Amino acid sequence: MNSSQYRKITSCLQRIKGGERNAFAEIFFAYENRIYFLCCKLLGSKRDAKSMTVDIFNYAYLHCAELRDGMGFDKWLFETAGTKCRRFIIDNHPEMYGDYIDSDSSEGERVEELLVRENNRMSLFPDGIEIDVGLMQLTDSILSEIPLKMRVAVLQYFGSGLDFDEIAATEQISSAAVKNRLLKALIRLETEEHKYSEMGYGTEGLTAFLPAILDAMAENIVIPPEIASGVTEKTGIYCIDNANSNTRPFDENGDTAYVNIPKQRSGNYSPTGYATQNTGTKKKSDMSPAVKVLMGVVAVLVVVAAVFAVVMLVNGSSDDEDGTILNDENTTQSTTIEITTKETTTEAETTTEAETTTEAETTTEPETTTQPETTTQPETTTQPETTTEPETTTHFVEEETGF
């Protein structure tokens, strides 16, 4: 808890002690995501997580006035959540704890070295890692595959900020057992990180930036609207009736749902960008939204202009290839192509002139069409000459072509 959070919680607690019970709404909004996320990951059921979240906030509402100030309030709240979830599992689903046997061996002391190594490994990512919905969902899937007791150690140590002794008190086990849980959980997470990295997923740095990833998952989890109304019914905090969570979509089925929309929360971490090396905060851009929009428009225009230029270049090349003769061909082939071109032109022009002349002469002076063939058939009639004229024209072109 930073100084601003401490002052905010302390102020809320003082107002609650003074009879302003609605001040608890600010506490509720500050922790609703993280408590619901913790319940989802511990209980494995959205339905149970909803009712447990309401129960935890009801308990906090009734007992928060007993606290002196805001120092340690978040740990007290998370310890309460862990204790209630543990009791619920033992009473309703004791088999969930049967996949791992606790041990008090000294092997867990290695966890200290492993934590130091992971902290040093952050230096390998000077620009941090991008925390998006895909990474959240992949981390969620990995956590769901490890035994529940190991998952509890990860969530309470990295997500809730509890130390070994506080986790031991919540779980009613020894500190050595907590270290063993956390050690085996980290080894499992490292193995999964390496496996998914080999498959092409962007999971490098997952264990090093695990606190920031869990924080992002908690802040972006979709809250069911029933939580706020449930708290309102039991505690009389009427202002929670208008909570923003009432308008959020919520699916009762499927996996835990996350949204990639940053929220205005206390602190400086925005969960949808980059987790930096030292602070675990989002790498913020210095550009304003207007500048970003302008740059996006310019980029689009540049792309359109480039595409247009390429199209024009391709069309120009096609025209050049259709209208010109390649000079790299041999002389005979070039001459043949030129003669063919001339022949085609001559045929077109001669045919056009012949057709024009024929149409004109047929209409006005039918005998005029016999002039080109005076050397051959001066006495022929107009109609035979008109039918033989294309042959004469073709013969003339062939001779010219041969020349």
Side-chain angles (χ1 to χ4, degrees), residues 92-140:
N92 297 276
H93 306 285
E95 72 280 357
M96 294 177 63
Y97 275 139
D99 54 357
Y100 179 83
I101 304 300
D102 283 313
S103 172
D104 290 334
S105 67
S106 60
E107 182 183 7
E109 298 298 331
R110 293 171 45 205
V111 72
E112 299 282 357
E113 300 177 2
L114 190 58
L115 292 172
V116 172
R117 188 185 69 184
E118 290 299 326
N119 186 58
N120 294 334
R121 198 161 71 94
M122 295 176 64
S123 61
L124 300 177
F125 305 90
D127 296 328
I129 61 173
E130 185 177 3
I131 303 177
D132 56 10
V133 173
L135 183 58
M136 296 180 201
Q137 293 174 339
L138 186 58
T139 305
D140 197 349

Side-chain angles (χ1 to χ4, degrees), residues 296-317:
V297 172
V298 172
V300 171
L301 293 176
V302 170
V303 172
V304 172
V307 172
F308 182 78
V310 171
V311 172
M312 293 297 295
L313 181 61
V314 172
N315 291 337
S317 301

Side-chain angles (χ1 to χ4, degrees), residues 102-217:
D102 283 313
S103 172
D104 290 334
S105 67
S106 60
E107 182 183 7
E109 298 298 331
R110 293 171 45 205
V111 72
E112 299 282 357
E113 300 177 2
L114 190 58
L115 292 172
V116 172
R117 188 185 69 184
E118 290 299 326
N119 186 58
N120 294 334
R121 198 161 71 94
M122 295 176 64
S123 61
L124 300 177
F125 305 90
D127 296 328
I129 61 173
E130 185 177 3
I131 303 177
D132 56 10
V133 173
L135 183 58
M136 296 180 201
Q137 293 174 339
L138 186 58
T139 305
D140 197 349
S141 176
I142 294 174
L143 286 174
S144 299
E145 293 175 357
I146 66 176
L148 177 59
K149 291 182 179 179
M150 295 163 57
R151 192 189 319 154
V152 169
V154 171
L155 292 170
Q156 291 185 334
Y157 185 84
F158 293 104
S160 302
L162 305 182
D163 58 28
F164 299 134
D165 293 334
E166 290 168 340
I167 298 174
T170 301
E171 292 295 302
Q172 297 183 4
I173 56 177
S174 64
S175 296
V178 173
K179 292 180 179 180
N180 284 322
R181 287 186 184 183
L182 191 59
L183 174 66
K184 294 181 180 180
L186 287 175
I187 294 175
R188 178 74 172 267
L189 289 174
E190 284 187 342
T191 302
E192 295 296 320
E193 174 189 339
H194 179 72
K195 181 182 73 175
Y196 281 104
S197 297
E198 291 289 325
M199 296 169 59
Y201 292 91
T203 56
E204 294 183 359
L206 187 150
T207 53
F209 290 94
L210 190 57
I213 296 174
L214 292 177
D215 190 23
M217 294 169 67

